[in-house]
């Protein structure tokens, strides 16, 4: 039987503020347990929250980035439940009046098409601490360093139809938030965590099936696997005539399966109500305009501009605009060499190839954008061939200096001296009488193929440094 | 609004307060009395009234994103019931 | 020394008539001798008191004294004090020694005031009689068979019994004004947001406000000067600059319009109290004020409104007491659920549990609109009543309570009867207004309190009205028999 998968994602994004959302504690990842937990974070008696301005600004940046309505008067609420990683016994979140309202943004699918995915809302809240289940004599250890880290919870519409679309959505979201600089997007450190709502229905149906929620899936790969697994589980139940139970499930990456969560928040009543220790956050037009004025160019705009301004294909534009750093690198190469197409090719093939092989990030790249631009310039002015350029690039990667230094030091300069080349061409013609005879006897089409032999011989003689175009021209003149 | 004993038990569970079996009847009775008094509110027409969460109708101020807190773990954990290796201990939590 | 006003003590310290150590010693001795009869203090740390007093004396000697340097002040045990147990009258915090100070305590410390001790109170400030404390009930210095009022009953009793020259309290629904009235002292609850709530154990966040309790309006003004002001760490604290609350104390009352809400003088007000209040109002008329009848038509709804909002906020404010990071923890919990439920069963007293349950109920699914949201709407109507009144009058006056102090145990088994005690005080908190209670005579030897209510941030005017009354009367100078004599 055929099923349509309906997926909505709730992404918890840690915002890249230095201090917590409601206290002055540091948010640095990986500190010793409870060394970044202040009296406020520990919910000591009498402690009160004060809202971090940058968390608000980041939320508004996100809202503007997805073209959403910004909540002019957003309200924090208490979400009440007991859990040891939640020191106050309530999480300060936003329920009825979130800071970011409805918006949407574009995702790129593998076949090159794009789709707009709706965002229902995004709201600010505080992260919880961590429970460590290693053995403390049969007890659980609680680390509250993470408690109070600002989160933006981004809730999508149930607009996604496959695991691949869900991953494309997450990648686009990751790209957007890192462009905006509002999150480091580091999934391994939990900066971007995902809850997946998934249900199945017969194709063409416009009602939603009963959904399961899969909590806390923390990598693109696991999202894909969790959805595939959950699809199979639900399809099997439905095909056996069963019913899906609405429940919260946990994805177990080790076993590659989802299973129901046993404890947390089962059939809870969160008793949301406006947080009386905080007041409504009022955002006016002037504030929004000041944030808008500081927004960087966003991935979608950049992709479109790369296509128009540089004449790149959609695929190339997509790859190059994927991260703000890569796009900036690419544009700096273009600025240095003046040829966008060659620059696009070098950045994607040689540069990304080297980075991938070395498992390096762009920050660790040993060849600067102007340096790569300098190399490309030597291809463009015929100083070196593309083939030699790859050697030079390899040497640059090893730290041997600039393109010009390497070319000079290793004598890689292309031979473009007519006299010198003529000598080599004459020598090749003299040494290969048979081939010359064949060539002269051949028709136009065949000649085009045979000339390659002579070019090859000249290149061999010049150790690859002969200017191929000039060699071609000379051969055409002399083979008559 | 009358409240049944099982509802009190549900509420007590939400509030994580154990009520000894012998006391549940009395607790239910007291709460019923209080809710009876509170029910006067239902007679008021408030259809056009904006709820008031803060008596001054003030708005939120924002603080600059600065780290102002230092590590005071030792002082805080000196008053904790159970800690080990810098962690607060609770009976094992099963997810 | 023990029967001097704060203003007189400041002058005495400056004039080197006595030192802060001598002054503090005097009150420590009185506490040791007399407090077993009142139970007004939970914690008194003699060593710390004398050390702070000695430091104050050095500061005075160096000519660096601030207004309150060297003055011993008792603090309600709801304010966190670094290194001194802060129990909030609860078993839950019996072992809780905060490693930090409340902003209010910090401000007094900077002034060089001496923390004389921590006063007894209704558990988590939930009560009107100071009987629900884990540390036993407080007794009224005027008659030890009576309650002192609550929840700041320990502070009121300590001041009335001359065990402290002044004290701090908190007022969520009348918890400064009602015990001030019952114990014959002066207390002011400032405008919501005037005094920082940071480090004050929260009961109901949108209602709680700290204020001074002393013998006179002048002393209250002196203390309020140190307490009031913007705190960047309390989002609900007001940025409006604090005033010098002593500056206008002597202003004439000529032309002052005093509103008398008819709802505060009707059924329910006891005849003896009514007579004392009427007599007090005549004094204002004599000083040139005019009395204007006004109406607060939603007055009958203040109790139900309050008893939804306060428990709702309290129910979640008290969720942090879970036995994990501080405070009471039940022994040998078998699992997490047992840890929570038994810790909270053992740590909280009956009234606190009752209010947590009511608040949880009022916020729970299906009831939120009917209770919490409804109460927040009625709250606005109550505030609008006052706004309308203040278009006609400058201050509002009436009784603080329906009658004088009642007997210990008289209402402790009947929560609803106890809640009715707060009928005239609750609205002030719901509307966020400043209110105060001043002594206005006696009924059968029991003090009666006159309540004054002002506009938002109208503390100076209230203190002025109270001070002018106290210049003309001596009710605030009456002392209970048991407090006179003893160590002087």
């Amino acid at each position: 039987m055929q099923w349509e998968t309906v997926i909505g994602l709730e992404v918890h994004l840690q915002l890249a503020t230095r201090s917590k959302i409601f206290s002055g504690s540091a948010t640095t990842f990986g500190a010793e347990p409870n060394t970044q937990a202040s009296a406020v974070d520990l919910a000591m008696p009498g402690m009160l929250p004060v809202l971090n301005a940058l968390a608000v600004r980041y939320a508004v940046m996100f809202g503007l980035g997805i073209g959403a309505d910004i909540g002019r008067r957003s309200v924090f609420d208490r979400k009440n439940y007991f859990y040891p990683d939640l020191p106050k016994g309530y999480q300060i979140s936003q329920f009825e009046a979130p800071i970011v309202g409805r918006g949407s943004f574009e995702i790129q699918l593998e076949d090159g098409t794009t789709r707009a995915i709706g965002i229902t809302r995004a709201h600010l809240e505080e992260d919880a601490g961590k429970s460590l289940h290693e053995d403390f004599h049969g007890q659980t250890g609680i680390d509250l360093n993470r408690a109070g880290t600002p989160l933006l919870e981004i809730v999508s519409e149930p607009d996604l139809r496959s695991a691949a679309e869900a991953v494309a959505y997450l990648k686009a979201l990751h790209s957007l938030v890192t462009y905006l600089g509002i999150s480091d997007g580091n999934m391994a450190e939990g900066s971007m965590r995902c809850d997946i709502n998934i249900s199945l229905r017969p194709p063409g149906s416009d009602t939603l099936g009963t959904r399961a929620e899969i909590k806390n899936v923390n990598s693109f790969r696991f999202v894909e696997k969790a959805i595939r697994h959950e699809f199979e589980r639900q399809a099997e139940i439905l095909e056996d005539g069963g019913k899906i139970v609405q429940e919260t499930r946990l994805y177990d990456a080790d076993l590659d399966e989802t299973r129901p969560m046993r404890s947390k928040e089962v059939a809870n009543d969160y008793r949301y109500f406006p947080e009386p220790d905080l007041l409504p956050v009022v955002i006016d037009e002037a504030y929004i305009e000041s944030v808008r004025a500081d927004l960087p160019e966003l991935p979608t705009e950049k992709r479109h501009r790369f296509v128009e301004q540089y004449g790149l294909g959609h695929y190339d534009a997509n790859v190059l605009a994927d991260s703000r750093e890569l796009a900036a690198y690419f544009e700096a190469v273009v600025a240095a060499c003046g040829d966008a197409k060659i620059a696009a090719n070098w950045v994607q093939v040689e540069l990304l190839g080297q980075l991938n092989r070395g498992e390096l990030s762009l920050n660790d790249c040993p060849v600067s954008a102007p340096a790569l631009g300098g190399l490309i310039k030597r291809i463009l002015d015929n100083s070196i061939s593309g083939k030699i350029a790859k050697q030079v690039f390899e040497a640059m990667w090893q730290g041997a200096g600039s393109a010009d230094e390497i070319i000079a030091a290793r004598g890689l300069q292309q031979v473009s001296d007519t006299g010198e080349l003529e000598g080599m061409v004459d020598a090749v013609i003299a040494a290969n009488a048979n081939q010359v005879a064949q060539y002269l006897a051949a028709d136009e089409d065949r000649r085009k193929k045979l000339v390659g032999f002579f070019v090859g011989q000249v290149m061999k003689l010049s150790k690859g440094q002969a200017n191929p175009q000039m060699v071609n021209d000379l051969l055409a003149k002399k083979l008559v | 609004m009358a409240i049944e004993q099982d509802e009190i038990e549900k509420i007590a569970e939400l509030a994580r307060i154990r009520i000894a079996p012998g006391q549940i009847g009395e607790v239910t009775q007291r709460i019923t009395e209080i809710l009876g008094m509170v029910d006067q509110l239902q007679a008021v027409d408030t259809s056009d009234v904006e709820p008031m969460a803060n008596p001054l109708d003030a708005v939120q101020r924002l603080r600059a994103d600065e780290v102002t807190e230092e590590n005071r773990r030792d002082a805080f954990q000196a008053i904790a019931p159970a800690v080990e290796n810098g962690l607060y201990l609770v009976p094992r939590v099963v997810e | 020394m023990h029967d001097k006003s704060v203003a007189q003590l400041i002058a005495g310290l400056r004039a080197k008539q006595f030192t802060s150590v001598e002054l503090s010693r005097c009150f420590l001795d009185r506490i040791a001798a007399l407090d077993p009869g009142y139970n007004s203090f939970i914690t008194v740390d003699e060593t710390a008191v004398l050390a702070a007093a000695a430091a104050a004396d050095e500061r005075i000697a160096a000519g660096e004294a601030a207004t309150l340097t060297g003055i011993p002040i008792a603090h309600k045990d709801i304010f966190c004090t670094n290194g001194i147990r802060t129990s909030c009258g609860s078993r839950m915090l019996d072992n809780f020694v905060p490693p930090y100070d409340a902003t209010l305590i910090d401000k007094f410390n900077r002034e060089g005031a001496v923390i004389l001790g921590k006063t007894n109170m209704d558990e988590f400030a939930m009560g009107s009689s100071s009987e629900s404390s884990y540390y036993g009930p407080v007794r009224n210095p005027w008659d030890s068979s009576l309650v002192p009022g609550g929840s700041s009953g320990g502070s009121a009793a300590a001041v009335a019994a001359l065990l402290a020259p002044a004290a701090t309290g908190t007022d969520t629904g009348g918890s400064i004004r009602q015990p001030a009235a019952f114990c014959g002292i002066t207390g002011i609850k400032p405008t919501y947001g005037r005094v920082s709530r940071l480090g004050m154990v929260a009961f109901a966040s949108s209602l709680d406000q700290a204020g001074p309790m002393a013998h006179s309006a002048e002393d209250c003004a002196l203390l309020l000067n140190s307490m009031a002001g913007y705190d960047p760490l309390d989002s609900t604290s007001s940025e409006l600059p604090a005033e010098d609350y002593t500056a206008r104390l002597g202003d004439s009352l000529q032309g002052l319009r005093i509103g008398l809400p008819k709802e505060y003088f009707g059924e329910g007000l006891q005849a003896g109290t009514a007579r004392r209040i009427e007599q007090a109002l005549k004094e204002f008329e004599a000083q040139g004020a005019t009395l204007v009848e006004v109406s607060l038509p939603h007055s009958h709804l203040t109790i139900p409104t309050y008893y939804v909002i306060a428990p709702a906020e309290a129910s979640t404010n008290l969720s942090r007491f879970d036995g994990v990071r501080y405070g009471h923890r039940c022994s040998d919990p078998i699992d997490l659920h047992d840890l929570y439920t038994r810790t909270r069963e053992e740590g909280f007293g009956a009234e606190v549990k009752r209010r947590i349950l009511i608040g949880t109920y009022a916020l729970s699914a299906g009831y939120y609109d009917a209770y919490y949201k409804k109460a927040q709407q009625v709250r606005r109507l109550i505030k609008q009543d006052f706004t309308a009144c203040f278009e006609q009058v400058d201050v509002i006056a009436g009784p603080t309570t329906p009658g004088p102090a009642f007997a210990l145990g008289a209402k402790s088994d009947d929560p609803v009867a106890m809640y009715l005690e707060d009928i005239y005080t609750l609205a002030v908190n719901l509307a966020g207004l400043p209110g105060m209670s001043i002594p206005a005579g006696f009924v059968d030897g029991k003090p009666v309190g006159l309540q004054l209510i002002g506009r938002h941030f109208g503390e100076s005017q209230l203190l002025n009205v109270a001070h002018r009354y106290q210049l003309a009367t001596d009710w605030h100078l009456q002392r209970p028999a048991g407090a006179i004599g003893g160590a002087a």
Side-chain angles (χ1 to χ4, degrees):
Chain A
M1 201 173 163
Q2 287 284 310
W3 298 101
E4 182 178 52
T5 323
V6 178
I7 302 163
L9 298 179
E10 289 168 23
V11 172
H12 290 84
L13 184 74
Q14 285 187 340
L15 298 176
T17 56
R18 280 194 293 271
S19 66
K20 293 188 178 177
I21 183 166
F22 300 124
S23 82
S25 303
T27 53
T28 319
F29 180 81
E32 283 295 300
N34 291 308
T35 55
Q36 290 177 174
S38 69
V40 173
D41 310 317
L42 294 169
M44 289 282 167
M47 288 298 117
L48 297 169
V50 188
L51 182 57
N52 185 331
L54 194 58
V56 171
R57 189 177 178 87
Y58 282 171
V60 172
M61 285 171 75
F62 177 77
L64 295 177
I66 60 162
D69 296 330
I70 303 301
R72 297 310 171 98
R73 190 181 175 86
S74 71
V75 173
F76 283 95
D77 296 281
R78 290 186 182 176
K79 178 183 183 180
N80 294 283
Y81 63 93
F82 284 87
Y83 207 71
D85 66 12
L86 188 72
K88 293 188 293 296
Y90 54 84
Q91 178 193 33
I92 304 178
S93 181
Q94 297 189 304
F95 186 52
E96 279 193 353
I99 190 159
V100 176
R102 190 171 289 272
S104 77
F105 72 101
E106 198 175 83
I107 67 167
Q108 303 275 319
L109 302 176
E110 276 172 4
D111 63 6
T113 59
T114 61
R115 262 190 74 194
I117 302 299
I119 302 291
T120 314
R121 58 181 282 165
H123 64 256
L124 284 168
E125 62 183 27
E126 55 182 336
D127 209 342
K130 280 181 183 165
S131 303
L132 295 143
H133 303 292
E134 296 104 75
D135 196 27
F136 293 99
H137 332 291
Q139 303 192 79
T140 292
I142 307 295
D143 174 10
L144 296 169
N145 280 349
R146 197 179 68 176
T149 298
L151 293 180
L152 188 66
E153 179 173 334
I154 302 159
V155 182
S156 86
E157 293 283 294
D159 284 352
L160 301 160
R161 293 289 174 270
S162 66
E165 284 192 15
V167 170
Y169 167 85
L170 288 172
K171 285 188 170 162
L173 188 63
H174 186 271
S175 167
L176 175 66
V177 300
T178 50
Y179 255 78
L180 288 168
I182 64 174
S183 175
D184 64 18
N186 188 331
M187 293 183 86
E189 291 179 1
S191 297
M192 195 168 153
R193 313 195 294 272
C194 189
D195 297 344
I196 306 164
N197 285 299
I198 170 168
S199 64
L200 305 190
R201 66 182 177 190
S205 162
D206 53 9
T207 55
L208 292 171
T210 305
R211 66 188 165 84
E213 181 180 20
I214 310 168
K215 283 265 183 210
N216 255 327
V217 192
N218 296 337
S219 80
F220 295 144
R221 197 164 62 91
F222 289 163
V223 166
E224 189 158 7
K225 293 178 94 170
I227 291 173
R228 290 197 202 288
H229 175 273
E230 184 61 18
F231 172 84
E232 279 163 26
R233 188 187 73 88
Q234 291 191 18
E236 198 171 314
I237 292 172
L238 292 171
E239 281 159 22
D240 288 350
K243 278 192 174 162
I244 304 300
V245 183
Q246 182 162 344
E247 64 184 353
T248 302
R249 300 176 70 85
L250 201 67
Y251 177 69
D252 186 326
D254 296 332
L255 300 174
D256 187 25
E257 62 170 31
T258 68
R259 59 180 147 82
M261 276 180 101
R262 270 188 282 177
S263 64
K264 209 170 186 176
E265 305 152 38
V266 175
N268 218 330
D269 175 349
Y270 292 125
R271 290 159 284 139
Y272 282 100
F273 78 109
E275 160 61 291
D277 288 331
L278 291 169
L279 302 168
V281 180
V282 172
I283 292 174
D284 61 19
E285 197 61 41
Y287 179 87
I288 291 176
E289 287 317 311
S290 80
V291 174
R292 197 192 304 278
D294 289 349
L295 282 187
E297 186 183 32
L298 298 177
T300 307
E301 300 164 33
K302 194 160 284 196
R303 276 198 296 273
H304 292 311
R305 180 168 64 80
F306 280 6
V307 171
E308 281 172 27
Q309 182 180 342
Y310 299 129
L312 300 184
H314 287 278
Y315 177 84
D316 291 355
N318 219 358
V319 172
L320 292 170
D322 180 54
S323 86
R324 197 169 158 180
E325 291 74 20
L326 185 65
Y329 188 100
F330 162 68
E331 293 206 90
V333 175
V334 176
C337 75
D339 188 317
K341 287 199 176 155
I342 260 208
N345 198 39
W346 269 83
V347 169
Q348 286 182 82
V349 179
E350 302 307 323
L351 179 90
L352 290 182
Q354 283 283 12
L355 289 175
N356 285 342
R357 277 191 292 279
E359 291 182 357
L360 297 174
S361 82
L362 196 55
N363 292 331
D364 310 319
C365 175
V367 177
S368 73
L372 178 54
L375 171 62
I376 294 171
K377 253 159 87 176
R378 293 296 160 257
I379 304 171
L380 293 169
D381 69 8
N382 289 325
S383 296
I384 53 172
S385 66
K387 202 171 165 196
I388 294 288
K390 287 179 190 175
Q391 282 177 44
V392 176
F393 183 67
E394 182 68 46
M396 289 166 78
W397 197 267
Q398 304 306 330
S402 72
D404 286 346
E405 286 162 3
I406 293 164
I407 292 166
R410 304 190 182 181
L412 298 173
Q413 178 80 26
Q414 195 156 258
V415 178
S416 302
D417 180 273
T418 314
E420 200 177 328
L421 287 176
E422 250 187 296
M424 287 192 252
V425 167
D426 289 346
V428 166
I429 290 175
N432 295 285
N434 281 350
Q435 282 80 355
V436 172
Q438 277 178 30
Y439 176 87
L440 292 174
D443 62 14
E444 197 65 15
D445 271 2
R446 182 132 172 80
R447 279 184 173 195
K448 275 182 187 161
K449 283 176 188 147
L450 289 172
V451 79
F453 165 78
F454 298 103
V455 174
Q457 291 300 308
V458 176
M459 293 309 281
K460 203 169 165 186
L461 201 61
S462 73
K463 299 193 179 87
Q465 286 168 250
N467 180 327
Q469 192 54 51
M470 290 179 74
V471 171
N472 266 306
D473 291 349
L474 284 169
L475 283 166
K477 221 163 31 179
K478 296 203 178 232
L479 286 167
V480 284
Chain B
M1 233 177 269
I3 184 162
E4 303 294 332
Q5 194 164 308
D6 63 344
E7 217 164 350
I8 292 289
E9 284 165 3
K10 217 174 75 192
I11 294 297
E13 173 56 27
L14 270 181
R16 298 293 187 275
I17 290 177
R18 182 177 172 275
I19 303 176
Q23 286 166 9
I24 186 89
E26 199 215 322
V27 170
T28 305
Q29 190 203 324
R30 292 287 178 226
I31 288 178
T32 301
E33 286 166 22
I34 295 165
L35 291 174
M37 179 268 287
V38 159
D39 271 343
Q40 291 174 67
L41 290 178
Q42 306 314 325
V44 191
D45 177 10
T46 52
S47 39
D48 296 328
V49 185
E50 184 70 17
M52 188 175 96
N54 175 272
L56 301 176
D57 286 317
V59 300
Q60 182 62 35
R61 284 186 312 266
L62 305 176
R63 54 163 256 276
D65 177 36
E66 286 162 8
V67 176
T68 53
E69 297 288 340
E70 55 200 35
N71 172 20
R72 297 192 62 204
R73 185 175 79 180
D74 291 347
F76 292 134
Q77 296 201 337
I79 55 169
V83 287
E84 193 174 308
N85 296 338
L87 297 161
Y88 292 95
L89 295 186
V90 296
R92 185 190 287 285
V93 175
V94 187
E95 282 202 333
Chain C
M1 252 185 298
H2 64 276
D3 197 13
K4 285 182 159 46
S5 71
V6 172
Q8 288 166 334
L9 293 175
I10 291 168
L13 285 170
R14 294 289 163 79
K16 313 260 186 321
Q17 290 167 7
F18 45 81
T19 63
S20 176
V21 168
E22 288 163 346
L23 181 62
S24 302
R25 183 80 260 167
C26 160
F27 284 108
L28 288 172
D29 290 346
R30 286 185 59 83
I31 292 167
L34 300 174
D35 202 44
Y38 307 126
N39 197 28
S40 65
F41 283 89
I42 293 173
T43 304
V44 177
D45 180 344
E46 284 212 16
T47 315
V49 170
L50 294 172
D57 284 332
E58 281 176 30
R59 193 166 157 181
I60 294 167
E64 289 163 3
T67 309
L68 296 177
T69 305
I71 303 294
I73 297 171
H75 294 286
K76 187 175 183 178
D77 206 21
I78 198 169
F79 297 105
C80 287
T81 41
N82 194 348
I84 305 173
R85 174 178 59 181
T86 300
S87 74
C88 225
S90 181
R91 182 184 181 195
M92 188 62 92
L93 292 177
D94 182 44
N95 62 0
F96 178 63
V97 180
Y100 53 90
D101 280 320
T103 297
L104 175 149
I105 297 292
D106 185 50
K107 283 177 166 246
F108 279 121
N109 285 345
R110 283 168 195 272
E111 284 253 321
V114 174
I115 299 173
L116 182 59
K118 305 294 294 290
T119 60
N120 205 349
M121 56 184 285
D122 279 303
E123 184 181 8
F124 285 104
M126 296 177 189
S128 310
S129 68
S130 300
E131 292 170 288
S132 70
S133 170
Y134 176 61
Y135 302 92
V138 183
R139 290 171 184 273
N140 192 318
W142 291 91
D143 178 343
S144 61
S145 70
L146 304 178
V147 302
S151 63
S152 312
S155 288
V159 172
L162 307 177
L163 305 183
T168 57
T170 62
D171 189 318
T172 304
S175 283
I176 286 175
R177 290 160 290 156
Q178 186 251 20
F182 280 13
C183 290
I185 66 163
T186 304
I188 180 166
K189 179 207 92 76
T191 308
Y192 180 80
R194 181 68 294 172
V195 175
S196 170
R197 293 189 295 116
L198 187 81
M200 181 175 127
V201 182
F203 164 12
S205 306
S206 76
L207 301 164
D208 293 345
Q209 183 60 204
M213 303 171 81
H215 291 297
S216 66
E218 184 186 18
D219 286 0
C220 284
L222 285 165
L223 263 73
L224 189 57
N225 276 353
S226 298
M227 299 165 74
Y230 169 57
D231 182 354
L233 296 178
D234 173 1
S235 298
T236 61
S237 111
S238 171
E239 283 174 287
L240 207 71
E243 299 164 40
D244 174 1
Y245 296 101
T246 62
R248 288 173 54 196
L249 284 174
D251 286 7
S252 163
L253 302 189
Q254 194 68 44
L256 182 82
R257 294 164 302 163
I258 301 178
L260 310 177
K262 61 180 186 199
E263 294 80 4
Y264 286 17
F265 291 89
E267 199 189 344
L269 178 61
Q270 293 174 22
T273 299
R275 278 194 297 277
R276 295 278 77 80
I277 300 301
E278 279 153 22
Q279 195 185 10
L281 294 171
K282 287 204 175 71
E283 175 55 37
F284 292 116
E285 276 188 306
Q287 293 198 32
T290 32
L291 306 180
V292 183
E293 188 187 91
V294 293
S295 176
L296 298 167
H298 294 94
S299 290
H300 65 292
L301 294 171
T302 55
I303 294 181
T305 301
Y306 179 88
Y307 280 97
V308 170
I309 293 171
E313 293 182 5
S315 71
T316 95
N317 279 336
L318 270 58
S319 292
R320 66 188 59 199
F321 303 108
D322 59 5
V324 176
R325 297 164 312 285
Y326 49 79
H328 178 69
R329 180 189 190 118
C330 67
S331 58
D332 306 319
I334 53 166
D335 58 19
L336 187 62
H337 188 265
D338 188 43
L339 168 69
Y340 285 150
T341 56
R342 207 145 48 81
T343 294
R344 290 164 64 78
E345 178 196 21
E346 295 167 0
F348 293 137
E351 178 64 15
V352 171
K353 282 187 263 200
R354 204 146 47 218
R355 296 206 196 185
I356 290 173
L357 294 175
I358 289 166
T360 304
Y361 182 74
L363 292 173
S364 63
Y367 298 108
Y368 177 83
D369 284 355
Y371 287 110
Y372 192 74
K373 189 174 168 203
K374 188 84 179 179
Q376 294 284 47
Q377 289 171 313
V378 176
R379 182 177 186 183
R380 186 172 294 281
L381 297 176
I382 290 166
K383 183 189 169 190
Q384 286 168 355
D385 284 355
F386 281 100
T387 308
C389 275
F390 283 120
E391 283 170 11
Q392 304 168 58
V393 299
D394 303 305
V395 296
I396 289 169
T400 306
T401 56
F406 49 87
L408 253 85
K411 301 185 182 191
S412 47
D413 288 338
D414 187 349
V416 172
M418 187 74 91
Y419 297 171
L420 290 172
E421 273 304 303
D422 302 327
I423 179 101
Y424 304 134
T425 49
L426 297 177
V428 165
N429 300 80
L430 291 168
L433 299 166
M436 68 185 295
S437 180
I438 57 176
F442 294 84
V443 173
D444 304 328
K446 295 176 261 189
V448 169
L450 170 76
Q451 181 173 220
L452 298 168
I453 301 167
R455 296 190 175 96
H456 286 131
F457 302 102
E459 288 82 5
S460 281
Q461 183 162 45
L462 284 189
L463 290 161
N464 162 225
V465 174
H467 181 67
R468 291 294 305 205
Y469 179 79
Q470 291 179 337
L471 287 178
T473 60
D474 66 355
W475 300 121
H476 64 293
L477 300 175
Q478 307 293 313
R479 300 290 177 251
I484 301 165

